[in-house]
Amino acid sequence: WAKAEGKDRWTLFDTERSATEVAQFRLSASMPAALEHEEFYVEYQPLVGLRAEDVAGVEALVRWWHPELGRLGPDRFIGLAEETGLIVSLGRWVLRQACYQAKYWQEEFGAAAPFVSVNLAVRQSRDPQLVADVAEILHETGLDPGKLQLELTESAIMSTADEPLEALRELARMGVRIAIDDFGTGYSNLAYLRHLPVHELKVAGSFMEGIRDDEPDPVDEHIVRTLVELAHTLGLTVTAEGVETREQARRMAVIGCETGQGWFFARPGTPDAIRSLIVRSGTEPER
Ligand code: C2E
Ligand code: MG
Ligand code: MG
Ligand code: MG
């Protein structure tokens, strides 16, 4: 009896899983055409200076407007694109979009314009064409290399072999900023950080849970303090991710983070929304 029931369960489980697998497979298969038909678009979220309250940077976050499924977040399709390898062309497309957009801000606000921060998938960091692609896009768009930041996750950057690391060094030499995304969630070798061509640490949003006035988590706060101290010792700037409340923004400012990113400041939005934020923060257009 039990065995029969167990067997049924497994059958049910298998059926469900394969339905999901079919859906995932379809989504994967439709991605190249979606890229060609411009179903993807980019939203922008500000990295706000915790002192001056200026828009120091802007993260580019890709979305998919699927004709049947509607709006899909990156968590639904980036993993699939990594598996199929499409991430390399999708990532290049996002980079180009973001650089064109940042160039508009550069033209309007000059040196005070925010940098644009673009996520780099593991596959992209290992793509031998990466440096050439970035150089070409910077040239094509006319964006100052210092107005581009590339974000790699901790695990991506730590597992990076010699050649991709050399690519990151080359990008850094070109003046591009390199950031480590979601810092504190992986298994970083902290000592190794000093050997990486990195300019910024983005402290993972998961630490923000314990950063609060009513029931602060002393461990979260201590870890964040330690990370910020280490980053500063290495000459890196720090962004607090996932800042949802005023308390968190204030506490992270006290801890010494340069910038904060999160719903407290702004949800990801259109370039127009970013422009209004830049203007509202007191940055004057240059022309
Ligand atoms: P991420 O790079 O760590 O980006 C931050 C994520 O946190 C974004 O989710 C953002 O919308 C969300 N977020 C921002 N503020 C808050 C907040 O206050 N609270 C909470 N709970 N969340 C907040 P999103 O847009 O869904 O992106 C998810 C992940 O997908 C990104 O995490 C990034 O790893 C990846 N991703 C997005 N765009 C790209 C891309 O163009 N290329 C690659 N390779 N990955 C991308
Ligand atoms: Mg990111
Ligand atoms: Mg992040
Ligand atoms: Mg994330």
Side-chain angles (χ1 to χ4, degrees):
W1 226 99
K3 199 178 169 191
E5 192 187 62
K7 203 179 171 200
D8 270 0
R9 278 211 199 117
W10 280 109
T11 313
L12 183 66
F13 180 68
D14 273 345
T15 315
E16 278 179 359
R17 186 176 59 179
S18 69
T20 317
E21 276 169 2
V22 169
Q24 298 286 81
F25 178 78
R26 286 216 182 106
L27 210 54
S28 276
S30 62
M31 245 185 269
L35 185 56
E36 208 168 299
H37 301 149
E38 314 221 348
E39 288 173 19
F40 294 96
Y41 63 101
V42 181
E43 284 189 331
Y44 298 90
Q45 188 180 32
L47 281 65
V48 177
L50 292 178
R51 278 163 209 273
E53 297 186 356
D54 57 325
V55 180
V58 176
E59 181 170 6
L61 295 160
V62 68
R63 280 88 180 79
W64 182 357
W65 191 263
H66 191 284
E68 283 134 43
L69 302 172
R71 182 191 176 288
L72 300 179
D75 290 337
R76 288 285 298 279
F77 60 84
I78 289 290
L80 294 175
E82 282 251 24
E83 280 170 26
T84 60
L86 189 81
I87 192 69
V88 174
S89 40
L90 177 59
R92 197 187 295 123
W93 181 85
V94 172
L95 181 66
R96 183 174 273 112
Q97 291 289 307
C99 288
Y100 269 110
Q101 185 51 59
K103 167 68 173 171
Y104 286 119
W105 294 322
Q106 180 181 290
E107 281 185 350
E108 187 171 8
F109 300 104
F115 61 80
V116 73
S117 199
V118 179
N119 292 283
L120 214 61
V122 178
R123 288 275 279 253
Q124 284 178 281
S125 69
R126 296 182 182 163
D127 176 15
Q129 284 302 309
L130 177 69
V131 176
D133 280 350
V134 173
E136 184 191 307
I137 289 172
L138 287 172
H139 180 76
E140 173 188 326
T141 58
L143 182 67
D144 173 357
K147 294 296 185 195
L148 175 63
Q149 173 165 282
L150 299 173
E151 298 189 6
L152 291 91
T153 61
E154 203 180 343
S155 37
I157 208 165
M158 296 294 170
S159 67
T160 291
D162 285 354
E163 272 172 45
L165 202 54
E166 198 36 57
L168 292 183
R169 291 209 174 91
E170 181 63 36
L171 289 166
R173 278 194 291 269
M174 284 161 52
V176 174
R177 295 166 55 91
I178 310 287
I180 307 188
D181 203 356
D182 302 338
F183 196 79
T185 57
Y187 305 90
S188 333
N189 176 345
L190 293 181
Y192 189 54
L193 262 183
R194 69 192 305 170
H195 301 297
L196 297 173
V198 169
H199 305 85
E200 171 153 309
L201 288 192
K202 299 188 76 179
V203 175
S206 48
F207 291 107
M208 288 310 117
E209 239 171 83
I211 309 291
R212 50 200 293 166
D213 290 344
D214 52 351
E215 285 172 69
D217 180 335
V219 178
D220 274 345
E221 193 150 331
H222 190 94
I223 292 174
V224 172
R225 269 183 203 286
T226 307
L227 293 180
V228 171
E229 216 170 286
L230 173 69
H232 287 169
T233 304
L234 295 171
L236 315 181
T237 56
V238 183
T239 293
E241 296 191 79
V243 176
E244 294 182 357
T245 68
R246 179 179 305 279
E247 293 164 30
Q248 289 169 338
R250 197 174 38 77
R251 280 178 174 261
M252 295 312 283
V254 170
I255 289 173
C257 288
E258 279 77 13
T259 39
Q261 180 181 357
W263 298 341
F264 171 66
F265 300 106
R267 301 242 171 188
T270 61
D272 263 2
I274 294 292
R275 190 188 173 279
S276 315
L277 284 174
I278 298 173
V279 172
R280 249 201 288 152
S281 75
T283 301
E284 307 269 342
E286 280 199 336
R287 50 167 198 110

